[in-house]
Every structure is written in C-alpha cells, then in structure tokens.
Amino acid sequence: MNDLNVVVLGTSIMWGQGLEDADKIHSVLARMLQARDPTCNVDMIFLAHSGASTGFKPDGSVDTRREPRLHGEVPTAYPTVLQQIDDFDQGGIAAESVDIVVVDAGVNDVHSTTILDP
C-alpha cells in the first residue's frame, strides 16, 4: 500500500462532535489503514465541521452565502458541504491524487418544520 490521501467532508458526524481526536472517525480510519500496512502514511485533508448544511436552499438553489470557518466543534451551517468541496478544489491539491473521500451530508438540512410538514 502506498501513501494515501484522504479527504474528509461533512457534518458533525465526520467532525466527531464531542469526541477526543483519537476517537474521531478519521483517526480511527487512519489507524485501520496503517494497521494493514505500517509503512503507509495517511494524509488527511480535513474540511468537515459541526452544523454544516449541504449547501442547497429549500427551493433547490445553491446557497452562495459565505461565512468564515469557525472551530469545527462550533455548530454553523458554513462552510456548507458544497463549499467544503470548493475549498478543496481551490486548495491546489490534484483531485487525482485523492485516494479516499469520506463524506456525510443532509442531517442538518432536516428541520422540525420539514418533518411536521414535508
């Protein structure tokens, strides 16, 4: 196994809200990959954070509002998952160099009003 580049996008699930870094899913994944090949170096490109929305408005249009990135433990919709992808694209890392993408999205787009009146 060669060195691996892993991109992590999404919400508090990928961020690991409330967990110690060693217990977060990306850390567990890195340990599992390195256990398979101790010479493997796993590089994480980590863009997930708590509260991220997918980036679509209720009418289906893309949410273009931007807000500064906060500490990942602070729940905020921004940057959205779509904006996280844009941030990766603008980061200067060739997409073909990415080996694994770990992503979750959608949970923060469901609100009580959606559940009660779909």
Side-chain angles (χ1 to χ4, degrees):
M1 186 181 300
N2 295 323
D3 290 354
L4 295 173
N5 291 315
V6 180
V7 177
V8 182
L9 307 164
T11 69
S12 58
I13 294 168
M14 289 298 113
W15 166 257
Q17 180 77 22
L19 297 174
E20 296 290 329
D21 283 342
D23 297 327
K24 295 182 181 198
I25 194 167
H26 64 281
S27 297
V28 173
L29 175 61
R31 283 195 307 275
M32 289 172 60
L33 293 168
Q34 289 170 332
R36 291 185 66 179
D37 181 357
T39 65
C40 177
N41 181 42
V42 179
D43 290 319
M44 291 284 170
I45 303 154
F46 195 78
L47 299 167
H49 67 88
S50 291
S53 72
T54 57
F56 292 102
K57 295 179 182 179
D59 66 3
S61 63
V62 174
D63 184 354
T64 58
R65 178 178 165 184
R66 281 258 182 194
E67 291 188 14
R69 180 176 290 277
L70 301 176
H71 186 277
E73 204 66 24
V74 178
T76 179
Y78 302 95
T80 67
V81 175
L82 291 177
Q83 291 167 352
Q84 292 172 32
I85 294 167
D86 287 342
D87 291 347
F88 170 80
D89 287 343
Q90 295 172 16
I93 299 168
E96 55 272 4
S97 71
V98 174
D99 301 295
I100 301 170
V101 176
V102 184
V103 63
D104 82 299
V107 69
N108 295 319
D109 293 0
V110 179
H111 303 283
S112 59
T113 54
T114 307
I115 296 168
L116 297 174
D117 185 17

mmCIF file of all heavy atoms in Angstrom, residues 9 47 49 52-56 62-69 76-90:
data_model
loop_
_atom_site.group_PDB
_atom_site.id
_atom_site.type_symbol
_atom_site.label_atom_id
_atom_site.label_comp_id
_atom_site.label_asym_id
_atom_site.label_seq_id
_atom_site.Cartn_x
_atom_site.Cartn_y
_atom_site.Cartn_z
ATOM 1 N N LEU A 9 -15.122 15.290 4.364
ATOM 2 C CA LEU A 9 -16.093 16.364 4.175
ATOM 3 C C LEU A 9 -17.355 16.047 4.967
ATOM 4 O O LEU A 9 -17.699 14.878 5.140
ATOM 5 C CB LEU A 9 -16.476 16.474 2.691
ATOM 6 C CG LEU A 9 -15.349 16.618 1.686
ATOM 7 C CD1 LEU A 9 -15.855 16.310 0.288
ATOM 8 C CD2 LEU A 9 -14.765 18.003 1.748
ATOM 9 N N LEU A 47 -11.980 18.850 6.133
ATOM 10 C CA LEU A 47 -12.793 20.049 5.931
ATOM 11 C C LEU A 47 -14.152 19.986 6.643
ATOM 12 O O LEU A 47 -14.891 20.953 6.650
ATOM 13 C CB LEU A 47 -12.993 20.291 4.432
ATOM 14 C CG LEU A 47 -11.692 20.524 3.654
ATOM 15 C CD1 LEU A 47 -11.928 20.432 2.154
ATOM 16 C CD2 LEU A 47 -11.080 21.857 4.016
ATOM 17 N N HIS A 49 -17.068 19.880 9.591
ATOM 18 C CA HIS A 49 -17.287 20.603 10.853
ATOM 19 C C HIS A 49 -18.736 20.419 11.289
ATOM 20 O O HIS A 49 -19.600 20.060 10.494
ATOM 21 C CB HIS A 49 -16.965 22.097 10.711
ATOM 22 C CG HIS A 49 -17.912 22.826 9.799
ATOM 23 N ND1 HIS A 49 -19.083 23.374 10.237
ATOM 24 C CD2 HIS A 49 -17.855 23.051 8.474
ATOM 25 C CE1 HIS A 49 -19.708 23.936 9.228
ATOM 26 N NE2 HIS A 49 -18.995 23.746 8.125
ATOM 27 N N ALA A 52 -22.667 21.729 9.468
ATOM 28 C CA ALA A 52 -22.635 22.014 8.030
ATOM 29 C C ALA A 52 -23.924 21.559 7.350
ATOM 30 O O ALA A 52 -24.397 20.460 7.573
ATOM 31 C CB ALA A 52 -21.444 21.323 7.377
ATOM 32 N N SER A 53 -24.462 22.440 6.513
ATOM 33 C CA SER A 53 -25.596 22.052 5.677
ATOM 34 C C SER A 53 -25.042 21.554 4.344
ATOM 35 O O SER A 53 -23.849 21.710 4.068
ATOM 36 C CB SER A 53 -26.532 23.242 5.449
ATOM 37 O OG SER A 53 -25.932 24.186 4.578
ATOM 38 N N THR A 54 -25.902 20.975 3.521
ATOM 39 C CA THR A 54 -25.425 20.501 2.221
ATOM 40 C C THR A 54 -25.023 21.663 1.330
ATOM 41 O O THR A 54 -24.101 21.548 0.542
ATOM 42 C CB THR A 54 -26.495 19.671 1.479
ATOM 43 O OG1 THR A 54 -27.666 20.452 1.333
ATOM 44 C CG2 THR A 54 -26.771 18.378 2.189
ATOM 45 N N GLY A 55 -25.747 22.766 1.445
ATOM 46 C CA GLY A 55 -25.468 23.933 0.601
ATOM 47 C C GLY A 55 -26.576 24.225 -0.382
ATOM 48 O O GLY A 55 -26.413 25.040 -1.287
ATOM 49 N N PHE A 56 -27.712 23.560 -0.196
ATOM 50 C CA PHE A 56 -28.873 23.826 -1.041
ATOM 51 C C PHE A 56 -29.953 24.503 -0.215
ATOM 52 O O PHE A 56 -30.212 24.117 0.918
ATOM 53 C CB PHE A 56 -29.431 22.534 -1.643
ATOM 54 C CG PHE A 56 -28.520 21.904 -2.649
ATOM 55 C CD1 PHE A 56 -27.742 20.815 -2.304
ATOM 56 C CD2 PHE A 56 -28.432 22.417 -3.930
ATOM 57 C CE1 PHE A 56 -26.896 20.224 -3.222
ATOM 58 C CE2 PHE A 56 -27.577 21.843 -4.860
ATOM 59 C CZ PHE A 56 -26.808 20.742 -4.506
ATOM 60 N N VAL A 62 -28.539 26.736 -5.066
ATOM 61 C CA VAL A 62 -27.320 26.652 -4.269
ATOM 62 C C VAL A 62 -27.221 27.867 -3.348
ATOM 63 O O VAL A 62 -27.427 29.002 -3.767
ATOM 64 C CB VAL A 62 -26.072 26.573 -5.181
ATOM 65 C CG1 VAL A 62 -24.794 26.640 -4.363
ATOM 66 C CG2 VAL A 62 -26.109 25.291 -6.005
ATOM 67 N N ASP A 63 -26.908 27.623 -2.097
ATOM 68 C CA ASP A 63 -26.702 28.677 -1.097
ATOM 69 C C ASP A 63 -25.309 29.262 -1.311
ATOM 70 O O ASP A 63 -24.309 28.581 -1.095
ATOM 71 C CB ASP A 63 -26.827 28.082 0.310
ATOM 72 C CG ASP A 63 -26.718 29.116 1.405
ATOM 73 O OD1 ASP A 63 -26.423 30.292 1.114
ATOM 74 O OD2 ASP A 63 -26.920 28.736 2.577
ATOM 75 N N THR A 64 -25.240 30.503 -1.747
ATOM 76 C CA THR A 64 -23.948 31.137 -2.033
ATOM 77 C C THR A 64 -23.438 31.989 -0.870
ATOM 78 O O THR A 64 -22.346 32.543 -0.959
ATOM 79 C CB THR A 64 -24.043 32.019 -3.294
ATOM 80 O OG1 THR A 64 -25.069 32.999 -3.091
ATOM 81 C CG2 THR A 64 -24.351 31.172 -4.520
ATOM 82 N N ARG A 65 -24.198 32.073 0.208
ATOM 83 C CA ARG A 65 -23.750 32.831 1.385
ATOM 84 C C ARG A 65 -22.474 32.198 1.925
ATOM 85 O O ARG A 65 -22.363 30.976 2.019
ATOM 86 C CB ARG A 65 -24.842 32.810 2.442
ATOM 87 C CG ARG A 65 -24.480 33.508 3.718
ATOM 88 C CD ARG A 65 -25.664 33.473 4.668
ATOM 89 N NE ARG A 65 -25.274 33.811 6.011
ATOM 90 C CZ ARG A 65 -26.092 33.781 7.037
ATOM 91 N NH1 ARG A 65 -27.351 33.414 6.876
ATOM 92 N NH2 ARG A 65 -25.662 34.098 8.233
ATOM 93 N N ARG A 66 -21.512 33.025 2.281
ATOM 94 C CA ARG A 66 -20.242 32.547 2.850
ATOM 95 C C ARG A 66 -20.043 33.166 4.216
ATOM 96 O O ARG A 66 -20.339 34.338 4.418
ATOM 97 C CB ARG A 66 -19.065 32.953 1.953
ATOM 98 C CG ARG A 66 -18.904 32.068 0.758
ATOM 99 C CD ARG A 66 -17.780 31.130 1.023
ATOM 100 N NE ARG A 66 -17.523 30.257 -0.107
ATOM 101 C CZ ARG A 66 -16.780 29.198 -0.028
ATOM 102 N NH1 ARG A 66 -16.220 28.875 1.108
ATOM 103 N NH2 ARG A 66 -16.577 28.443 -1.058
ATOM 104 N N GLU A 67 -19.548 32.393 5.129
ATOM 105 C CA GLU A 67 -19.161 32.887 6.451
ATOM 106 C C GLU A 67 -17.813 32.284 6.784
ATOM 107 O O GLU A 67 -17.462 31.219 6.268
ATOM 108 C CB GLU A 67 -20.206 32.496 7.506
ATOM 109 C CG GLU A 67 -21.514 33.230 7.334
ATOM 110 C CD GLU A 67 -22.490 32.986 8.481
ATOM 111 O OE1 GLU A 67 -22.077 32.462 9.539
ATOM 112 O OE2 GLU A 67 -23.666 33.332 8.303
ATOM 113 N N PRO A 68 -17.054 32.946 7.640
ATOM 114 C CA PRO A 68 -15.723 32.420 7.982
ATOM 115 C C PRO A 68 -15.818 31.058 8.660
ATOM 116 O O PRO A 68 -16.774 30.767 9.378
ATOM 117 C CB PRO A 68 -15.155 33.452 8.971
ATOM 118 C CG PRO A 68 -16.052 34.629 8.913
ATOM 119 C CD PRO A 68 -17.347 34.197 8.324
ATOM 120 N N ARG A 69 -14.809 30.246 8.416
ATOM 121 C CA ARG A 69 -14.716 28.932 9.063
ATOM 122 C C ARG A 69 -14.430 29.151 10.549
ATOM 123 O O ARG A 69 -13.537 29.891 10.924
ATOM 124 C CB ARG A 69 -13.592 28.127 8.424
ATOM 125 C CG ARG A 69 -13.420 26.742 9.021
ATOM 126 C CD ARG A 69 -12.357 25.956 8.274
ATOM 127 N NE ARG A 69 -12.796 25.592 6.944
ATOM 128 C CZ ARG A 69 -13.556 24.523 6.668
ATOM 129 N NH1 ARG A 69 -13.942 23.721 7.637
ATOM 130 N NH2 ARG A 69 -13.922 24.263 5.435
ATOM 131 N N THR A 76 -22.186 25.457 12.910
ATOM 132 C CA THR A 76 -22.575 26.507 11.974
ATOM 133 C C THR A 76 -22.779 25.874 10.603
ATOM 134 O O THR A 76 -22.106 24.899 10.265
ATOM 135 C CB THR A 76 -21.503 27.621 11.902
ATOM 136 O OG1 THR A 76 -21.918 28.608 10.957
ATOM 137 C CG2 THR A 76 -20.159 27.085 11.505
ATOM 138 N N ALA A 77 -23.705 26.414 9.842
ATOM 139 C CA ALA A 77 -24.015 25.846 8.523
ATOM 140 C C ALA A 77 -22.894 26.070 7.515
ATOM 141 O O ALA A 77 -22.827 25.396 6.496
ATOM 142 C CB ALA A 77 -25.314 26.449 7.995
ATOM 143 N N TYR A 78 -22.008 27.021 7.822
ATOM 144 C CA TYR A 78 -20.986 27.429 6.839
ATOM 145 C C TYR A 78 -19.579 27.121 7.321
ATOM 146 O O TYR A 78 -19.299 27.307 8.490
ATOM 147 C CB TYR A 78 -21.127 28.923 6.554
ATOM 148 C CG TYR A 78 -22.506 29.260 6.042
ATOM 149 C CD1 TYR A 78 -23.493 29.700 6.907
ATOM 150 C CD2 TYR A 78 -22.817 29.095 4.705
ATOM 151 C CE1 TYR A 78 -24.763 29.974 6.453
ATOM 152 C CE2 TYR A 78 -24.085 29.377 4.235
ATOM 153 C CZ TYR A 78 -25.060 29.817 5.120
ATOM 154 O OH TYR A 78 -26.314 30.078 4.654
ATOM 155 N N PRO A 79 -18.716 26.726 6.431
ATOM 156 C CA PRO A 79 -18.965 26.434 5.038
ATOM 157 C C PRO A 79 -19.817 25.179 4.876
ATOM 158 O O PRO A 79 -19.669 24.210 5.610
ATOM 159 C CB PRO A 79 -17.592 26.231 4.419
ATOM 160 C CG PRO A 79 -16.634 26.114 5.539
ATOM 161 C CD PRO A 79 -17.298 26.588 6.771
ATOM 162 N N THR A 80 -20.702 25.254 3.892
ATOM 163 C CA THR A 80 -21.565 24.121 3.570
ATOM 164 C C THR A 80 -20.714 22.993 2.992
ATOM 165 O O THR A 80 -19.536 23.192 2.678
ATOM 166 C CB THR A 80 -22.631 24.535 2.548
ATOM 167 O OG1 THR A 80 -21.980 24.829 1.306
ATOM 168 C CG2 THR A 80 -23.443 25.729 3.023
ATOM 169 N N VAL A 81 -21.312 21.839 2.807
ATOM 170 C CA VAL A 81 -20.575 20.724 2.214
ATOM 171 C C VAL A 81 -20.157 21.084 0.781
ATOM 172 O O VAL A 81 -19.029 20.800 0.371
ATOM 173 C CB VAL A 81 -21.385 19.409 2.268
ATOM 174 C CG1 VAL A 81 -20.657 18.289 1.541
ATOM 175 C CG2 VAL A 81 -21.653 19.016 3.725
ATOM 176 N N LEU A 82 -21.039 21.747 0.029
ATOM 177 C CA LEU A 82 -20.654 22.192 -1.317
ATOM 178 C C LEU A 82 -19.472 23.161 -1.258
ATOM 179 O O LEU A 82 -18.565 23.101 -2.091
ATOM 180 C CB LEU A 82 -21.835 22.848 -2.032
ATOM 181 C CG LEU A 82 -22.991 21.929 -2.434
ATOM 182 C CD1 LEU A 82 -24.120 22.744 -3.067
ATOM 183 C CD2 LEU A 82 -22.519 20.833 -3.372
ATOM 184 N N GLN A 83 -19.475 24.047 -0.267
ATOM 185 C CA GLN A 83 -18.359 24.987 -0.110
ATOM 186 C C GLN A 83 -17.091 24.271 0.343
ATOM 187 O O GLN A 83 -15.985 24.664 -0.034
ATOM 188 C CB GLN A 83 -18.749 26.107 0.862
ATOM 189 C CG GLN A 83 -19.808 27.019 0.284
ATOM 190 C CD GLN A 83 -20.438 27.944 1.310
ATOM 191 O OE1 GLN A 83 -20.209 27.827 2.523
ATOM 192 N NE2 GLN A 83 -21.253 28.868 0.843
ATOM 193 N N GLN A 84 -17.231 23.217 1.131
ATOM 194 C CA GLN A 84 -16.066 22.422 1.512
ATOM 195 C C GLN A 84 -15.427 21.809 0.262
ATOM 196 O O GLN A 84 -14.205 21.777 0.134
ATOM 197 C CB GLN A 84 -16.467 21.316 2.497
ATOM 198 C CG GLN A 84 -16.908 21.821 3.859
ATOM 199 C CD GLN A 84 -17.484 20.719 4.724
ATOM 200 O OE1 GLN A 84 -17.084 19.554 4.652
ATOM 201 N NE2 GLN A 84 -18.445 21.078 5.579
ATOM 202 N N ILE A 85 -16.275 21.336 -0.657
ATOM 203 C CA ILE A 85 -15.757 20.786 -1.911
ATOM 204 C C ILE A 85 -15.044 21.875 -2.699
ATOM 205 O O ILE A 85 -13.943 21.660 -3.222
ATOM 206 C CB ILE A 85 -16.899 20.147 -2.733
ATOM 207 C CG1 ILE A 85 -17.444 18.934 -1.999
ATOM 208 C CG2 ILE A 85 -16.422 19.778 -4.142
ATOM 209 C CD1 ILE A 85 -18.760 18.405 -2.550
ATOM 210 N N ASP A 86 -15.644 23.066 -2.781
ATOM 211 C CA ASP A 86 -14.992 24.199 -3.460
ATOM 212 C C ASP A 86 -13.664 24.538 -2.797
ATOM 213 O O ASP A 86 -12.672 24.805 -3.478
ATOM 214 C CB ASP A 86 -15.888 25.440 -3.439
ATOM 215 C CG ASP A 86 -17.074 25.345 -4.377
ATOM 216 O OD1 ASP A 86 -17.049 24.494 -5.298
ATOM 217 O OD2 ASP A 86 -18.031 26.122 -4.191
ATOM 218 N N ASP A 87 -13.642 24.528 -1.455
ATOM 219 C CA ASP A 87 -12.396 24.826 -0.729
ATOM 220 C C ASP A 87 -11.320 23.806 -1.078
ATOM 221 O O ASP A 87 -10.159 24.163 -1.260
ATOM 222 C CB ASP A 87 -12.632 24.843 0.784
ATOM 223 C CG ASP A 87 -13.481 26.027 1.237
ATOM 224 O OD1 ASP A 87 -13.682 26.971 0.442
ATOM 225 O OD2 ASP A 87 -13.952 25.997 2.393
ATOM 226 N N PHE A 88 -11.701 22.544 -1.189
ATOM 227 C CA PHE A 88 -10.740 21.525 -1.599
ATOM 228 C C PHE A 88 -10.240 21.815 -3.010
ATOM 229 O O PHE A 88 -9.038 21.790 -3.268
ATOM 230 C CB PHE A 88 -11.337 20.115 -1.546
ATOM 231 C CG PHE A 88 -10.433 19.105 -2.179
ATOM 232 C CD1 PHE A 88 -9.353 18.603 -1.486
ATOM 233 C CD2 PHE A 88 -10.620 18.713 -3.493
ATOM 234 C CE1 PHE A 88 -8.468 17.713 -2.076
ATOM 235 C CE2 PHE A 88 -9.754 17.813 -4.097
ATOM 236 C CZ PHE A 88 -8.677 17.316 -3.388
ATOM 237 N N ASP A 89 -11.181 22.100 -3.921
ATOM 238 C CA ASP A 89 -10.812 22.359 -5.314
ATOM 239 C C ASP A 89 -9.840 23.529 -5.439
ATOM 240 O O ASP A 89 -8.971 23.528 -6.303
ATOM 241 C CB ASP A 89 -12.055 22.631 -6.168
ATOM 242 C CG ASP A 89 -12.871 21.376 -6.437
ATOM 243 O OD1 ASP A 89 -12.337 20.257 -6.252
ATOM 244 O OD2 ASP A 89 -14.048 21.518 -6.832
ATOM 245 N N GLN A 90 -9.983 24.528 -4.570
ATOM 246 C CA GLN A 90 -9.121 25.710 -4.624
ATOM 247 C C GLN A 90 -7.843 25.534 -3.809
ATOM 248 O O GLN A 90 -6.990 26.417 -3.800
ATOM 249 C CB GLN A 90 -9.896 26.937 -4.141
ATOM 250 C CG GLN A 90 -11.053 27.283 -5.067
ATOM 251 C CD GLN A 90 -11.949 28.364 -4.500
ATOM 252 O OE1 GLN A 90 -11.590 29.068 -3.568
ATOM 253 N NE2 GLN A 90 -13.142 28.486 -5.061
#
